[in-house]
Each structure stands twice: as C-alpha cells, then as structure tokens.
Amino acid sequence: MQCITDIKALRELLKQWRSAGESIAFVPTMGNLHAGHLQLVNRAKAQADRVVVSIFVNPTQFGVGEDFSLYPRTEQADQEKLQAAAVDVVFMPSTEAMYPVNELTKVSVSEVSESHCGAARPGHFDGVATVVCKLFNIVQPDKAFFGEKDFQQLTVINAMVADLNLPVVIISVPTVRESNGLAMSSRNGYLTAQQREQASQLYQCLCAAKRLIQAKQLSYVDIEKLQIKFLTEQGFRVDYFSICRRSDLQAAEHEDAEIVILVAARIGKTRLIDNVQLDIKN
Ligand code: PAF
C-alpha cells in the first residue's frame, strides 16, 4: 500500500493505472476507521481493480463550536487497517494541499441539504459536497462508496453527481452495527460504556417506528411524537425524528412507498444520527 499526501503524485499514479485499463474505486473518509469503513473498502475491492481511500478531516464541514479539533485522528492505526485490507493507496492530503488559497467556489446542493442535519448544522453539507467534489476531481474514480448511516449525505452526493454530470457511480453500503444495534460511527468513541448502551435505543426506536408504520394504525406525525417522547424520557436531546420520503427527504405521505426514518439526538455532548429504510406495499 502506498501512502500519498501530494495531489500531483497521486494523479501520476492514477494515470498509470488508467492507461493500463484498470478500474478505480474510491472510499472517502475522515479516518478513525471502524468496521463500517472497512465494509466500504471490502465492497470497493470487490468491484474494481484498484482501491483508493482518502483520509482527510475536512474543516469546512464543521461548524463553529463543533468537534473539528477534538475529532479523533488515528492515522497510524488507520494505515495498518487499510494495509491489512489490501488497499492500493491511502491519500492523506494536508489542509493546505486541499485548500491552498482562499477559494471562491463552493458546491451547494439546495433543498435536500436544507432539512434535518442541514438545519441543525448550517453550512455542513456545502462543506461535504465541496470536498467530495474536489476529491472526485482529484481521484476521478469509476465508483465511489458511501455508508447509508449518513443517509442525508448520500442523498446530497447523489444529487450533486446527477446535477453536475459527474462521471462516477455512487454505491451505497448498508450500515454496520454493534451487537446492541448501535450504528458504527467514529463519534461513538466519545461515549462512555453506559452511554453506548443507552445509544442503542436510537436503533430500537427506529425499528419500533418501522413496525408502527407497517401496522398502519397511527399517523406518521403521531409515531414521530411517540418516539421523540420516549427518547427524551430516556435522557436524549432529540434534534429530529422524521418519517421521510427517500427521494427528497420531505415528510412522507401515506401514499409514499419508499420511506426512510431519520433520527438525530444527543447524549451529553455527543450528537448521533441513524436511520432505517422501509418499503410500503399498499
Ligand atoms: O462521511 C464522511 O466521513 C465525510 O463526510 C466525507 C464523505 C469523507 C467528506 O469529508
């Protein structure tokens, strides 16, 4: 595995692979790799000749007062995991390499960026879309792999790729969970053992809401209210618990078939997100 920090050096190597007819898969990450990331890497390996993983804690997707400076940086351990997973290249650019001047351009995806995490974290998805667009332009992968845990991020990236005709296929990969159901996330590292147990209630609530939807007894608004009340009683500060249409993340109507239930809630200072999908057969 090669570890490359320089954009030009990466491009040189990618050019050689491409001219040898090899396909390239890309997994963008912010490091602190866990089983969820390694699942993305395994999918990527199965679908291309070469796999590039980036590790870059992107400052522009963190708001003022968020955890940019605290965000876990575990480069040595990450590199060992990627080496063991037989990744071809880990790309670890510096902030100066990614943002050398005072950029005048950003990528902003309207509508799907504005609700949910976008409302709670203004500017977050502009930061994500811009850095992902830059990384796509640097790597020019055939396929790029993203986890479904960040469902809204996936929606934003799919819209950006479609709207800007970016020549990359986006592959979404189901969420990997701990044995208690908690979705794997780098931010789980902020939780105490007791909070980790408590955090598993997020997934339990999502599953309970899914069953209530399937039972067709309560309105979606009532199901949302019930889960918010339960989570609040369990000590969470709920940002949102929303039953949405998968296509545009607007509030789902009863005739919508493709649903995603999205939740964001805090335990102490840690903000966690999760979701489940369901298809309704009318
Ligand atoms: O999901 C993440 O880790 C980040 O948002 C991403 C896609 C690597 C962009 O910085």
Side-chain angles (χ1 to χ4, degrees), residues 27-31 37 54 56-58 61 71 124 127-129 131-132 135 146-147 150 153 157:
V27 182
T29 82
M30 298 207 297
H37 294 112
S54 65
F56 179 62
V57 185
N58 172 38
Q61 67 187 77
Y71 200 85
H124 168 67
V128 170
V131 82
V132 170
L135 288 166
F146 292 86
D150 297 306
Q153 168 171 285
I157 287 164

Side-chain angles (χ1 to χ4, degrees), residues 14 17-18 22-26 48-50 52 139 141-143:
L14 293 167
W17 290 346
R18 249 179 246 113
E22 293 181 311
S23 60
I24 295 161
F26 177 46
D49 299 315
R50 299 286 186 173
V52 179
V139 178
D142 298 286
K143 294 180 178 174

Side-chain angles (χ1 to χ4, degrees), residues 221-239:
V221 172
D222 285 342
I223 296 171
E224 290 168 354
K225 280 189 191 150
L226 208 62
Q227 304 308 323
I228 292 170
K229 182 167 176 285
F230 177 80
L231 288 170
T232 308
E233 283 164 3
Q234 299 301 310
F236 289 88
R237 277 181 298 133
V238 181
D239 244 353

Side-chain angles (χ1 to χ4, degrees), residues 30-37 67 71-72 149-150 175-178 181-191 196 199 202 270-274:
M30 298 207 297
N32 195 236
L33 303 179
H34 50 66
H37 294 112
D67 57 346
Y71 200 85
K149 198 211 112 211
D150 297 306
T175 304
V176 178
R177 299 182 179 280
E178 311 257 1
L182 174 64
M184 297 261 180
S185 162
S186 298
R187 289 192 170 95
N188 293 351
Y190 299 147
L191 302 171
R196 257 175 195 252
L202 279 184
T270 308
R271 185 175 186 275
L272 299 172
I273 59 172
D274 200 354

Side-chain angles (χ1 to χ4, degrees), residues 108-280:
S108 188
V109 180
S110 64
E111 295 184 15
V112 288
S113 286
E114 287 157 17
S115 59
H116 305 100
C117 285
R121 306 180 66 189
H124 168 67
F125 287 118
D126 289 357
V128 170
T130 304
V131 82
V132 170
C133 189
K134 284 167 74 80
L135 288 166
F136 282 176
N137 285 334
I138 293 166
V139 178
Q140 298 181 21
D142 298 286
K143 294 180 178 174
F145 293 74
F146 292 86
E148 288 175 5
K149 198 211 112 211
D150 297 306
F151 194 87
Q152 190 173 11
Q153 168 171 285
L154 189 59
T155 309
V156 168
I157 287 164
N158 276 324
M160 171 182 83
V161 166
D163 293 351
L164 299 182
N165 303 91
L166 300 183
V168 56
V169 175
I170 302 299
I171 311 280
S172 65
V173 179
T175 304
V176 178
R177 299 182 179 280
E178 311 257 1
S179 55
N180 68 5
L182 174 64
M184 297 261 180
S185 162
S186 298
R187 289 192 170 95
N188 293 351
Y190 299 147
L191 302 171
T192 63
Q194 196 202 334
Q195 286 176 327
R196 257 175 195 252
E197 267 320 298
Q198 188 189 351
S200 68
Q201 289 174 326
L202 279 184
Y203 182 56
Q204 288 160 25
C205 265
L206 288 167
C207 294
K210 181 172 170 173
R211 285 193 297 273
L212 287 169
I213 292 172
Q214 284 161 337
K216 299 188 183 209
Q217 299 291 314
L218 293 176
S219 73
Y220 290 172
V221 172
D222 285 342
I223 296 171
E224 290 168 354
K225 280 189 191 150
L226 208 62
Q227 304 308 323
I228 292 170
K229 182 167 176 285
F230 177 80
L231 288 170
T232 308
E233 283 164 3
Q234 299 301 310
F236 289 88
R237 277 181 298 133
V238 181
D239 244 353
Y240 58 80
F241 191 104
S242 306
I243 300 170
C244 299
R245 255 197 312 262
R246 272 211 300 275
S247 57
D248 60 4
L249 307 186
Q250 295 296 308
E253 311 278 348
H254 280 272
E255 56 275 15
D256 292 322
E258 296 184 342
I259 304 285
V260 60
I261 316 171
L262 301 170
V263 64
R266 277 170 216 271
I267 303 182
K269 287 202 176 87
T270 308
R271 185 175 186 275
L272 299 172
I273 59 172
D274 200 354
N275 66 83
V276 299
Q277 301 179 41
L278 73 152
D279 294 320
I280 298 180

